[in-house]
Amino acid sequence: MYPEKQKKNIDPQTALIKMESFCAYQERSQLEIRYKLIELGVFGNDLEHIISSLIENNFLNEARFAKAYTNGKLRIKNWGKIKIKQGLKLKGVSAPLIKSALQQIDEDEYYAILEKIIAKKSKEIKDKDPYIFKNKVFRYALSRGFETDLISFVLNNKLLNQ
């Protein structure tokens, strides 16, 4: 039904230049670069050589990517640590780098973001039954990737202060 995407075949030097500009535009993970190179028709030793060249010239840095991804998803998308961790795993980032990136999150800022999410969702819910209200807010915060104990703590403090 759909025409198949034809793989491009470009020489390794052109691919390296394209990947340098691709990495300069935005932080990328090694997995994203691998997929992009395969899409361009670069395989095997050429692919590995390009990736090692990008790392040597500091265009590609997994630790820097993990930190940028974590900060972006936390501050812009208001994701919790659980969802950020899953996203980093999908991008092929190693467990020690994920742990390091998550440890750099400021706990006060993290707590404030969760409170903001809960307050915003609380205004949207029309249910007056406290059990249903609390359940809906809890599930929403959980879907954003926040930890259950922290959600419960914030919800209980919010309900006590009303």
Side-chain angles (χ1 to χ4, degrees), residues 26-115:
Q26 175 182 323
E27 291 295 336
R28 310 284 180 178
S29 71
Q30 275 191 36
L31 194 61
E32 288 174 306
I33 299 300
R34 283 185 192 283
Y35 287 152
K36 189 70 171 177
L37 286 169
I38 289 169
E39 185 181 303
L40 292 173
V42 179
F43 304 99
N45 288 338
D46 291 337
L47 183 139
E48 296 303 326
H49 176 69
I50 291 171
I51 289 177
S52 64
S53 177
L54 291 171
I55 292 169
E56 287 172 18
N57 295 325
N58 208 21
F59 282 100
L60 190 59
N61 185 326
E62 287 279 307
R64 195 173 61 210
F65 168 76
K67 186 175 181 190
Y69 184 91
T70 301
N71 287 334
K73 296 303 181 188
L74 176 68
R75 293 189 178 114
I76 297 168
K77 296 236 179 187
N78 294 326
W79 284 6
K81 289 180 181 178
I82 295 170
K83 197 165 184 176
I84 292 170
K85 184 178 181 179
Q86 288 173 336
L88 285 169
K89 280 183 182 178
L90 287 174
K91 296 286 186 179
V93 178
S94 67
L97 288 177
I98 292 173
K99 186 177 180 184
S100 171
L102 291 176
Q103 285 175 343
Q104 293 177 4
I105 293 175
D106 180 41
E107 292 301 319
D108 294 333
E109 180 184 8
Y110 188 68
Y111 186 80
I113 287 171
L114 177 58
E115 283 183 325

Coordinates of all heavy atoms in Angstrom, one line a residue, residues 26-115:
Q26 N 21.3 19.3 18.4 CA 20.7 18.9 19.7 C 21.4 17.7 20.2 O 22.0 16.9 19.4 CB 19.2 18.5 19.3 CG 18.4 17.9 20.4 CD 17.0 17.5 19.9 OE1 16.4 18.1 19.1 NE2 16.5 16.3 20.4
E27 N 21.4 17.5 21.5 CA 22.1 16.4 22.1 C 21.4 15.1 21.6 O 20.2 15.0 21.5 CB 22.0 16.4 23.6 CG 22.8 17.5 24.3 CD 24.3 17.3 24.1 OE1 24.8 16.2 23.9 OE2 25.0 18.3 24.1
R28 N 22.2 14.1 21.3 CA 21.7 12.8 20.8 C 22.3 11.7 21.5 O 23.4 11.8 22.1 CB 22.0 12.7 19.3 CG 21.7 13.8 18.4 CD 20.2 13.9 18.1 NE 20.0 15.0 17.2 CZ 18.8 15.3 16.8 NH1 17.8 14.6 17.1 NH2 18.6 16.4 16.0
S29 N 21.6 10.5 21.6 CA 22.2 9.3 22.1 C 22.8 8.5 21.0 O 22.6 8.7 19.8 CB 21.1 8.5 22.8 OG 20.2 7.9 21.8
Q30 N 23.7 7.6 21.4 CA 24.4 6.7 20.5 C 23.3 5.9 19.7 O 23.5 5.7 18.5 CB 25.3 5.8 21.2 CG 26.7 6.4 21.4 CD 27.7 5.3 21.9 OE1 27.6 4.2 21.4 NE2 28.5 5.7 22.8
L31 N 22.3 5.5 20.3 CA 21.3 4.7 19.6 C 20.6 5.5 18.5 O 20.4 5.0 17.4 CB 20.2 4.2 20.6 CG 19.3 3.1 20.2 CD1 20.1 1.9 19.8 CD2 18.3 2.8 21.2
E32 N 20.3 6.8 18.8 CA 19.7 7.6 17.7 C 20.6 7.8 16.5 O 20.2 7.8 15.4 CB 19.4 9.0 18.3 CG 18.2 9.1 19.3 CD 18.1 10.4 19.9 OE1 19.0 10.9 20.5 OE2 16.9 10.9 19.8
I33 N 21.9 8.0 16.8 CA 22.9 8.1 15.8 C 23.0 6.8 14.9 O 23.1 6.8 13.7 CB 24.3 8.5 16.3 CG1 24.2 9.8 17.1 CG2 25.4 8.5 15.3 CD1 23.8 11.0 16.2
R34 N 23.0 5.7 15.6 CA 23.1 4.4 14.9 C 21.9 4.2 14.0 O 22.0 3.9 12.8 CB 23.0 3.2 15.9 CG 24.4 3.0 16.6 CD 24.3 1.7 17.4 NE 25.5 1.7 18.3 CZ 26.7 1.3 17.8 NH1 26.9 1.0 16.6 NH2 27.7 1.3 18.7
Y35 N 20.7 4.6 14.5 CA 19.5 4.5 13.6 C 19.6 5.4 12.4 O 19.2 5.1 11.3 CB 18.2 4.7 14.4 CG 17.8 3.6 15.4 CD1 17.1 3.9 16.6 CD2 18.2 2.3 15.2 CE1 16.7 2.9 17.4 CE2 17.8 1.3 16.0 CZ 17.1 1.6 17.2 OH 16.7 0.6 18.1
K36 N 20.0 6.6 12.7 CA 20.1 7.6 11.6 C 21.2 7.1 10.5 O 20.9 7.3 9.3 CB 20.5 8.9 12.2 CG 20.5 10.1 11.2 CD 19.0 10.4 10.9 CE 18.9 11.7 10.1 NZ 17.6 12.0 9.7
L37 N 22.3 6.6 11.0 CA 23.3 6.1 10.0 C 22.8 4.9 9.2 O 23.0 4.9 8.0 CB 24.6 5.7 10.8 CG 25.4 6.9 11.3 CD1 26.5 6.4 12.2 CD2 26.0 7.7 10.1
I38 N 22.1 4.0 9.9 CA 21.5 2.9 9.1 C 20.5 3.4 8.1 O 20.4 2.9 7.0 CB 20.9 1.9 10.1 CG1 22.0 1.2 10.9 CG2 20.0 0.9 9.4 CD1 21.5 0.3 12.1
E39 N 19.7 4.4 8.5 CA 18.7 5.0 7.6 C 19.4 5.6 6.4 O 18.9 5.6 5.3 CB 17.9 6.1 8.3 CG 16.8 6.7 7.6 CD 16.1 7.8 8.4 OE1 15.6 7.4 9.5 OE2 16.1 8.9 8.0
L40 N 20.6 6.2 6.6 CA 21.4 6.7 5.5 C 22.1 5.7 4.7 O 22.7 6.0 3.7 CB 22.4 7.7 6.1 CG 21.8 9.0 6.7 CD1 22.9 9.8 7.3 CD2 21.1 9.8 5.6
G41 N 22.1 4.4 5.1 CA 22.8 3.4 4.4 C 24.2 3.1 4.8 O 25.0 2.6 4.0
V42 N 24.6 3.5 6.0 CA 26.0 3.3 6.5 C 25.9 2.1 7.5 O 25.1 2.1 8.4 CB 26.5 4.6 7.2 CG1 27.9 4.3 7.7 CG2 26.5 5.7 6.2
F43 N 26.8 1.1 7.3 CA 26.8 -0.1 8.1 C 28.2 -0.5 8.5 O 29.2 0.0 8.0 CB 26.1 -1.3 7.3 CG 24.7 -1.0 6.8 CD1 24.6 -0.6 5.5 CD2 23.6 -1.1 7.6 CE1 23.3 -0.4 5.0 CE2 22.4 -0.8 7.2 CZ 22.2 -0.5 5.8
G44 N 28.3 -1.4 9.4 CA 29.5 -2.1 9.7 C 30.6 -1.2 10.3 O 30.4 -0.4 11.2
N45 N 31.8 -1.4 9.8 CA 33.0 -0.7 10.3 C 32.8 0.8 10.0 O 33.3 1.6 10.8 CB 34.3 -1.2 9.6 CG 34.6 -2.5 10.1 OD1 34.2 -2.9 11.2 ND2 35.4 -3.3 9.3
D46 N 32.2 1.2 8.9 CA 32.0 2.7 8.6 C 31.2 3.3 9.7 O 31.4 4.4 10.2 CB 31.4 2.9 7.3 CG 32.3 2.5 6.1 OD1 33.5 2.6 6.3 OD2 31.8 2.2 5.0
L47 N 30.1 2.6 10.1 CA 29.2 3.1 11.2 C 30.0 3.3 12.5 O 29.9 4.3 13.1 CB 28.0 2.1 11.3 CG 26.9 2.5 12.3 CD1 25.6 2.2 11.7 CD2 27.1 1.8 13.6
E48 N 30.7 2.2 12.9 CA 31.5 2.3 14.1 C 32.5 3.4 14.1 O 32.8 4.1 15.1 CB 32.1 0.9 14.4 CG 31.1 -0.2 14.7 CD 30.1 0.1 15.8 OE1 30.5 0.7 16.8 OE2 29.0 -0.4 15.7
H49 N 33.2 3.5 12.9 CA 34.2 4.6 12.8 C 33.6 6.0 13.0 O 34.2 6.8 13.6 CB 34.9 4.5 11.4 CG 35.9 5.5 11.2 ND1 37.1 5.6 11.9 CD2 35.9 6.6 10.4 CE1 37.7 6.7 11.5 NE2 37.0 7.3 10.5
I50 N 32.4 6.2 12.4 CA 31.7 7.5 12.5 C 31.4 7.8 13.9 O 31.6 8.9 14.4 CB 30.5 7.6 11.5 CG1 31.0 7.6 10.1 CG2 29.6 8.8 11.8 CD1 29.9 7.4 9.1
I51 N 30.8 6.8 14.6 CA 30.4 7.0 16.0 C 31.6 7.3 16.9 O 31.6 8.2 17.7 CB 29.6 5.8 16.5 CG1 28.2 5.8 15.9 CG2 29.5 5.8 18.0 CD1 27.4 4.6 16.2
S52 N 32.7 6.5 16.7 CA 33.9 6.8 17.5 C 34.5 8.2 17.2 O 35.0 8.9 18.1 CB 35.0 5.7 17.3 OG 35.4 5.7 15.9
S53 N 34.4 8.6 15.9 CA 34.9 9.9 15.6 C 34.0 11.0 16.2 O 34.5 12.0 16.7 CB 34.8 10.1 14.0 OG 35.2 11.4 13.7
L54 N 32.7 10.8 16.3 CA 31.8 11.8 16.9 C 32.1 11.9 18.4 O 32.1 12.9 19.0 CB 30.4 11.4 16.7 CG 29.8 11.5 15.3 CD1 28.4 10.9 15.2 CD2 29.8 13.0 14.8
I55 N 32.4 10.7 19.0 CA 32.8 10.7 20.5 C 34.1 11.4 20.7 O 34.2 12.2 21.6 CB 32.8 9.3 21.0 CG1 31.4 8.7 21.0 CG2 33.4 9.2 22.4 CD1 31.3 7.2 21.3
E56 N 35.1 11.1 19.9 CA 36.4 11.8 20.0 C 36.3 13.3 19.9 O 37.0 14.0 20.6 CB 37.4 11.2 19.0 CG 37.9 9.8 19.3 CD 38.7 9.2 18.1 OE1 39.1 10.0 17.2 OE2 38.8 8.0 18.0
N57 N 35.5 13.8 18.9 CA 35.4 15.2 18.7 C 34.3 15.9 19.6 O 34.0 17.0 19.3 CB 35.1 15.4 17.2 CG 36.2 15.0 16.3 OD1 37.4 15.1 16.7 ND2 35.9 14.5 15.2
N58 N 33.8 15.1 20.5 CA 32.9 15.6 21.5 C 31.5 16.1 21.0 O 30.9 16.9 21.5 CB 33.5 16.7 22.4 CG 32.9 16.7 23.8 OD1 32.3 15.8 24.3 ND2 33.0 17.9 24.4
F59 N 31.2 15.5 19.8 CA 29.8 15.8 19.3 C 28.8 14.9 20.0 O 27.6 15.2 20.1 CB 29.8 15.5 17.8 CG 30.4 16.6 16.9 CD1 31.7 16.5 16.4 CD2 29.6 17.7 16.7 CE1 32.2 17.5 15.7 CE2 30.2 18.8 15.9 CZ 31.5 18.7 15.4
L60 N 29.3 13.7 20.4 CA 28.4 12.7 21.0 C 28.9 12.4 22.4 O 30.1 12.0 22.6 CB 28.4 11.4 20.1 CG 27.4 10.3 20.4 CD1 26.0 10.8 20.3 CD2 27.6 9.2 19.4
N61 N 28.1 12.6 23.4 CA 28.5 12.3 24.8 C 27.2 11.8 25.5 O 26.3 12.6 25.7 CB 29.0 13.6 25.4 CG 29.6 13.4 26.8 OD1 29.0 12.6 27.6 ND2 30.6 14.2 27.1
E62 N 27.3 10.6 25.9 CA 26.1 10.0 26.6 C 25.7 10.6 27.9 O 24.6 10.8 28.2 CB 26.3 8.5 26.8 CG 26.3 7.7 25.5 CD 24.9 7.3 25.1 OE1 24.1 6.8 25.8 OE2 24.6 7.6 23.9
A63 N 26.7 11.0 28.7 CA 26.5 11.6 30.0 C 25.8 13.0 29.8 O 24.8 13.3 30.5 CB 27.7 11.8 30.8
R64 N 26.3 13.7 28.9 CA 25.7 15.1 28.6 C 24.3 14.9 28.0 O 23.4 15.7 28.4 CB 26.6 15.7 27.5 CG 26.4 17.2 27.4 CD 27.5 17.8 26.5 NE 27.4 17.3 25.2 CZ 28.4 17.2 24.3 NH1 29.6 17.6 24.7 NH2 28.3 16.6 23.1
F65 N 24.1 13.9 27.2 CA 22.8 13.6 26.6 C 21.8 13.3 27.8 O 20.7 13.8 27.8 CB 22.8 12.5 25.6 CG 21.4 12.0 25.3 CD1 20.6 12.7 24.4 CD2 20.9 10.8 25.8 CE1 19.3 12.3 24.1 CE2 19.6 10.4 25.5 CZ 18.8 11.1 24.7
A66 N 22.2 12.4 28.7 CA 21.4 12.0 29.8 C 21.0 13.1 30.7 O 19.8 13.3 31.1 CB 22.0 10.9 30.6
K67 N 21.9 14.0 30.9 CA 21.6 15.2 31.8 C 20.7 16.1 31.1 O 19.7 16.6 31.6 CB 22.9 15.9 32.1 CG 22.7 17.0 33.1 CD 24.0 17.6 33.5 CE 23.7 18.8 34.5 NZ 24.8 19.6 34.9
A68 N 20.9 16.4 29.8 CA 20.0 17.3 29.0 C 18.6 16.7 28.9 O 17.6 17.5 29.0 CB 20.6 17.5 27.6
Y69 N 18.5 15.4 28.6 CA 17.2 14.8 28.5 C 16.5 14.9 29.8 O 15.3 15.2 29.8 CB 17.4 13.3 28.1 CG 16.2 12.5 27.8 CD1 15.6 12.5 26.6 CD2 15.5 11.8 28.9 CE1 14.5 11.7 26.3 CE2 14.4 11.1 28.6 CZ 13.8 11.1 27.4 OH 12.7 10.4 27.1
T70 N 17.2 14.6 30.9 CA 16.5 14.6 32.2 C 16.0 16.0 32.6 O 14.9 16.2 33.0 CB 17.5 14.2 33.3 OG1 17.9 12.8 33.0 CG2 16.9 14.2 34.7
N71 N 16.9 17.0 32.4 CA 16.5 18.4 32.7 C 15.3 18.9 31.8 O 14.4 19.5 32.2 CB 17.6 19.4 32.5 CG 18.6 19.2 33.6 OD1 18.3 18.8 34.7 ND2 19.9 19.5 33.3
G72 N 15.4 18.5 30.5 CA 14.3 18.9 29.6 C 12.9 18.3 29.9 O 11.9 19.0 30.0
K73 N 13.0 17.0 30.2 CA 11.7 16.3 30.5 C 11.1 16.7 31.8 O 9.9 16.8 32.0 CB 11.9 14.8 30.5 CG 12.3 14.2 29.1 CD 11.3 14.6 28.0 CE 11.7 14.0 26.7 NZ 10.9 14.4 25.6
L74 N 12.0 17.0 32.8 CA 11.5 17.5 34.1 C 11.0 18.9 34.0 O 9.8 19.1 34.4 CB 12.7 17.4 35.1 CG 12.4 18.0 36.5 CD1 11.4 17.0 37.2 CD2 13.6 18.1 37.3
R75 N 11.7 19.8 33.4 CA 11.3 21.2 33.5 C 10.3 21.6 32.4 O 9.4 22.4 32.6 CB 12.6 22.1 33.3 CG 13.5 22.0 34.5 CD 14.6 23.0 34.5 NE 15.4 22.8 35.7 CZ 16.6 22.4 35.7 NH1 17.2 22.1 34.6 NH2 17.3 22.2 36.9
I76 N 10.4 21.0 31.2 CA 9.5 21.4 30.2 C 8.2 20.5 30.1 O 7.1 21.0 30.1 CB 10.2 21.3 28.8 CG1 11.4 22.3 28.8 CG2 9.3 21.6 27.7 CD1 12.3 22.2 27.7
K77 N 8.4 19.2 30.2 CA 7.3 18.3 30.1 C 6.7 17.9 31.5 O 5.7 17.2 31.6 CB 7.7 17.0 29.4 CG 8.1 17.2 28.0 CD 7.2 16.4 27.1 CE 7.6 16.7 25.6 NZ 6.7 16.0 24.8
N78 N 7.4 18.3 32.6 CA 7.0 18.0 34.0 C 6.8 16.5 34.2 O 5.8 16.0 34.8 CB 5.7 18.7 34.3 CG 5.9 20.2 34.4 OD1 7.0 20.7 34.8 ND2 4.9 21.0 34.0
W79 N 7.8 15.7 33.7 CA 7.8 14.3 34.0 C 8.5 14.0 35.3 O 9.4 14.7 35.8 CB 8.6 13.5 32.9 CG 7.9 13.4 31.6 CD1 6.7 14.0 31.2 CD2 8.4 12.7 30.4 NE1 6.4 13.6 29.9 CE2 7.4 12.8 29.4 CE3 9.5 12.0 30.2 CZ2 7.6 12.3 28.2 CZ3 9.7 11.4 28.9 CH2 8.7 11.5 27.9
G80 N 8.1 12.8 35.9 CA 8.7 12.3 37.1 C 9.9 11.5 36.8 O 10.1 11.1 35.6
K81 N 10.6 11.0 37.8 CA 11.8 10.3 37.7 C 11.5 8.9 37.0 O 12.4 8.4 36.2 CB 12.5 10.0 39.0 CG 13.1 11.3 39.6 CD 13.7 11.0 41.0 CE 14.3 12.2 41.6 NZ 14.9 12.0 42.9
I82 N 10.4 8.3 37.3 CA 10.1 7.0 36.7 C 10.0 7.1 35.2 O 10.6 6.3 34.4 CB 8.9 6.4 37.4 CG1 9.1 6.1 38.8 CG2 8.4 5.1 36.6 CD1 7.8 5.8 39.6
K83 N 9.3 8.1 34.7 CA 9.0 8.2 33.3 C 10.3 8.7 32.6 O 10.6 8.2 31.5 CB 7.9 9.2 33.1 CG 7.3 9.2 31.7 CD 6.0 10.0 31.6 CE 5.4 9.8 30.2 NZ 4.1 10.4 30.2
I84 N 11.1 9.5 33.2 CA 12.4 9.9 32.7 C 13.3 8.7 32.5 O 14.0 8.5 31.5 CB 13.0 11.0 33.5 CG1 12.2 12.3 33.5 CG2 14.5 11.3 33.1 CD1 12.6 13.4 34.4
K85 N 13.4 7.9 33.6 CA 14.2 6.7 33.5 C 13.8 5.8 32.4 O 14.7 5.2 31.7 CB 14.1 5.9 34.9 CG 15.0 4.8 35.0 CD 14.9 4.1 36.4 CE 15.8 2.9 36.6 NZ 15.6 2.3 37.9
Q86 N 12.5 5.6 32.2 CA 12.0 4.7 31.1 C 12.4 5.3 29.7 O 12.9 4.6 28.8 CB 10.5 4.6 31.1 CG 10.0 3.7 32.3 CD 8.5 3.7 32.4 OE1 7.8 4.7 32.0 NE2 8.0 2.7 33.0
G87 N 12.3 6.6 29.6 CA 12.7 7.3 28.4 C 14.2 7.1 28.1 O 14.6 6.9 26.9
L88 N 15.0 7.3 29.1 CA 16.5 7.1 28.9 C 16.8 5.7 28.5 O 17.7 5.4 27.7 CB 17.2 7.5 30.2 CG 17.3 9.0 30.4 CD1 17.8 9.3 31.8 CD2 18.2 9.7 29.3
K89 N 16.1 4.7 29.1 CA 16.3 3.3 28.7 C 16.0 3.1 27.3 O 16.7 2.4 26.6 CB 15.5 2.4 29.6 CG 16.1 2.1 31.0 CD 15.2 1.1 31.8 CE 15.8 0.9 33.1 NZ 14.9 0.0 33.9
L90 N 14.9 3.7 26.8 CA 14.5 3.5 25.4 C 15.5 4.2 24.5 O 15.6 3.8 23.3 CB 13.1 4.1 25.2 CG 11.9 3.4 25.7 CD1 10.6 4.1 25.6 CD2 11.8 2.0 25.0
K91 N 16.2 5.2 25.0 CA 17.2 5.8 24.1 C 18.6 5.1 24.2 O 19.6 5.5 23.6 CB 17.5 7.3 24.6 CG 16.2 8.2 24.4 CD 16.0 8.5 23.0 CE 14.9 9.5 22.9 NZ 14.7 9.9 21.5
G92 N 18.6 4.0 25.0 CA 19.8 3.2 25.0 C 20.9 3.7 25.9 O 22.1 3.3 25.8
V93 N 20.6 4.5 26.9 CA 21.5 5.0 27.9 C 21.8 4.0 29.0 O 20.9 3.3 29.4 CB 21.0 6.3 28.5 CG1 22.0 6.9 29.5 CG2 20.8 7.4 27.4
S94 N 23.0 3.8 29.4 CA 23.4 2.8 30.4 C 22.9 3.1 31.7 O 22.6 4.3 32.1 CB 24.9 2.6 30.4 OG 25.5 3.8 31.0
A95 N 22.7 2.1 32.6 CA 22.1 2.3 33.9 C 22.9 3.2 34.8 O 22.3 4.1 35.5 CB 21.9 0.9 34.6
P96 N 24.3 3.1 34.8 CA 25.0 4.1 35.7 C 24.8 5.6 35.2 O 24.7 6.4 36.1 CB 26.5 3.7 35.5 CG 26.4 2.3 35.0 CD 25.2 2.1 34.3
L97 N 24.7 5.8 34.0 CA 24.5 7.2 33.5 C 23.1 7.7 33.8 O 22.9 8.8 34.1 CB 24.7 7.3 32.0 CG 26.2 7.2 31.5 CD1 26.3 7.2 30.0 CD2 27.0 8.3 32.1
I98 N 22.1 6.7 33.8 CA 20.7 7.1 34.1 C 20.7 7.5 35.6 O 20.1 8.5 36.0 CB 19.8 5.9 33.8 CG1 19.6 5.7 32.3 CG2 18.4 6.2 34.5 CD1 18.8 4.5 32.0
K99 N 21.3 6.6 36.4 CA 21.4 6.9 37.9 C 22.0 8.2 38.2 O 21.5 9.0 39.0 CB 22.1 5.8 38.6 CG 22.1 5.8 40.1 CD 22.8 4.6 40.7 CE 22.7 4.7 42.2 NZ 23.5 3.6 42.8
S100 N 23.1 8.5 37.5 CA 23.8 9.8 37.7 C 23.0 11.0 37.3 O 22.9 12.0 38.0 CB 25.1 9.8 36.9 OG 25.7 11.0 36.9
A101 N 22.3 10.9 36.2 CA 21.4 12.0 35.7 C 20.3 12.2 36.6 O 19.9 13.4 36.9 CB 20.9 11.7 34.3
L102 N 19.7 11.2 37.2 CA 18.5 11.3 38.1 C 19.0 11.9 39.4 O 18.2 12.6 40.1 CB 17.8 10.0 38.2 CG 17.1 9.5 37.0 CD1 16.5 8.1 37.3 CD2 16.0 10.4 36.6
Q103 N 20.2 11.6 39.8 CA 20.7 12.1 41.1 C 20.9 13.6 41.0 O 21.0 14.3 42.1 CB 22.0 11.4 41.5 CG 21.7 10.0 42.0 CD 23.0 9.2 42.3 OE1 24.1 9.6 41.9 NE2 22.9 8.1 43.1
Q104 N 21.1 14.1 39.9 CA 21.4 15.6 39.7 C 20.1 16.4 39.8 O 20.2 17.6 39.8 CB 22.1 15.8 38.4 CG 23.5 15.2 38.4 CD 24.2 15.4 37.1 OE1 23.7 16.0 36.2 NE2 25.4 14.9 37.0
I105 N 18.9 15.8 39.9 CA 17.7 16.5 40.0 C 17.6 17.1 41.4 O 17.8 16.5 42.4 CB 16.5 15.6 39.7 CG1 16.5 15.1 38.3 CG2 15.2 16.3 40.1 CD1 15.4 14.1 38.0
D106 N 17.3 18.4 41.4 CA 17.1 19.1 42.7 C 15.8 18.7 43.3 O 14.7 18.8 42.7 CB 17.1 20.6 42.4 CG 16.9 21.4 43.7 OD1 17.5 21.1 44.7 OD2 16.2 22.4 43.6
E107 N 15.9 18.2 44.5 CA 14.7 17.6 45.2 C 13.6 18.6 45.4 O 12.4 18.4 45.3 CB 15.1 16.9 46.5 CG 15.9 15.6 46.3 CD 15.2 14.6 45.4 OE1 13.9 14.4 45.6 OE2 15.8 13.9 44.6
D108 N 14.0 19.9 45.8 CA 13.0 20.9 46.0 C 12.2 21.3 44.8 O 11.0 21.5 44.8 CB 13.7 22.2 46.6 CG 14.3 21.9 48.0 OD1 13.8 21.0 48.7 OD2 15.3 22.6 48.4
E109 N 13.0 21.4 43.7 CA 12.4 21.7 42.4 C 11.4 20.5 42.0 O 10.3 20.8 41.5 CB 13.4 21.9 41.3 CG 12.9 22.2 39.9 CD 14.0 22.3 38.9 OE1 15.2 22.0 39.2 OE2 13.7 22.6 37.8
Y110 N 11.9 19.3 42.2 CA 11.1 18.1 41.8 C 9.8 18.1 42.6 O 8.7 17.9 42.1 CB 11.9 16.9 42.2 CG 11.3 15.6 41.7 CD1 11.2 15.2 40.4 CD2 10.9 14.6 42.6 CE1 10.7 14.0 39.9 CE2 10.4 13.4 42.2 CZ 10.3 13.1 40.9 OH 9.8 11.9 40.4
Y111 N 9.8 18.4 43.9 CA 8.7 18.4 44.8 C 7.7 19.6 44.3 O 6.5 19.4 44.3 CB 9.2 18.7 46.2 CG 8.1 18.6 47.3 CD1 7.6 17.4 47.7 CD2 7.5 19.7 47.8 CE1 6.6 17.3 48.7 CE2 6.5 19.7 48.8 CZ 6.1 18.5 49.2 OH 5.1 18.4 50.2
A112 N 8.3 20.7 44.0 CA 7.5 21.9 43.5 C 6.7 21.5 42.2 O 5.6 21.9 42.1 CB 8.4 23.1 43.4
I113 N 7.4 20.8 41.3 CA 6.8 20.4 40.1 C 5.6 19.5 40.3 O 4.5 19.6 39.8 CB 7.8 19.8 39.1 CG1 8.7 20.9 38.6 CG2 7.1 19.1 38.0 CD1 9.9 20.4 37.8
L114 N 5.8 18.5 41.2 CA 4.7 17.6 41.6 C 3.5 18.4 42.2 O 2.4 18.1 41.9 CB 5.2 16.5 42.5 CG 4.1 15.5 43.0 CD1 3.4 14.8 41.9 CD2 4.7 14.5 44.0
E115 N 3.8 19.3 43.1 CA 2.8 20.1 43.7 C 2.0 20.9 42.7 O 0.8 21.0 42.7 CB 3.3 21.1 44.8 CG 3.7 20.4 46.1 CD 4.2 21.4 47.1 OE1 4.9 22.4 46.7 OE2 3.9 21.2 48.3

